[in-house]
Amino acid sequence: MSHDEKLLDRVREIMADTPHKIEEKKMFGGICFMVNDKMCVGVRPERLMVRLDPGNSDEIAEQDGCEQMVMGKRVAKGYFFISPLVLKTKKQLDYWIKMALEFNPKAPLAKKK
């Protein structure tokens, strides 16, 4: 399995309650929720990925169960992995998804190749 089905269903439920244009895409070994054509939240094996304000990276990374995403040897600024150990309740999951949705309008679009 490439992603956590229970976590995916929980994220889908929260995302369905938002007014945003949302598209699910398979990427990075999981399912990514694109909001307004920008990567916002992802469900990967055994963790959640969120895109947050890179200007707050140090503060965000200090939270329990949170670590900055590293691709190869490079830190992916503004992308974080959240452990399922801190996503047990709807309130905990809502917290991270809400932050990702709040940052989304400010997030730059990916450059087309």
Side-chain angles (χ1 to χ4, degrees), residues 49-110:
M49 185 278 301
V50 289
R51 184 179 187 189
L52 305 173
D53 186 346
N56 298 331
S57 290
D58 292 339
E59 178 183 316
I60 293 166
E62 290 177 5
Q63 295 190 48
D64 287 342
C66 180
E67 65 181 86
Q68 288 190 308
M69 185 169 138
V70 177
M71 301 289 285
K73 294 182 181 181
R74 187 177 150 261
V75 173
K77 293 181 181 176
Y79 293 87
F80 300 86
F81 288 129
I82 313 302
S83 167
L85 297 175
V86 297
L87 299 173
K88 292 181 180 181
T89 68
K90 184 176 185 315
K91 183 178 178 179
Q92 290 171 316
L93 184 57
D94 277 340
Y95 171 79
W96 291 105
I97 292 175
K98 181 182 176 192
M99 280 203 315
L101 288 169
E102 285 174 355
F103 174 66
N104 183 265
K106 299 173 231 159
L109 280 167

Side-chain angles (χ1 to χ4, degrees), residues 2-5 7-8 11 27-33 41-45 47-49:
S2 62
H3 53 269
D4 180 331
E5 289 292 334
L7 180 57
L8 180 60
V11 171
M27 41 189 341
F28 303 117
I31 303 293
C32 185
F33 289 82
V41 175
V43 178
R44 302 217 20 200
R47 57 190 168 178
L48 182 76
M49 185 278 301

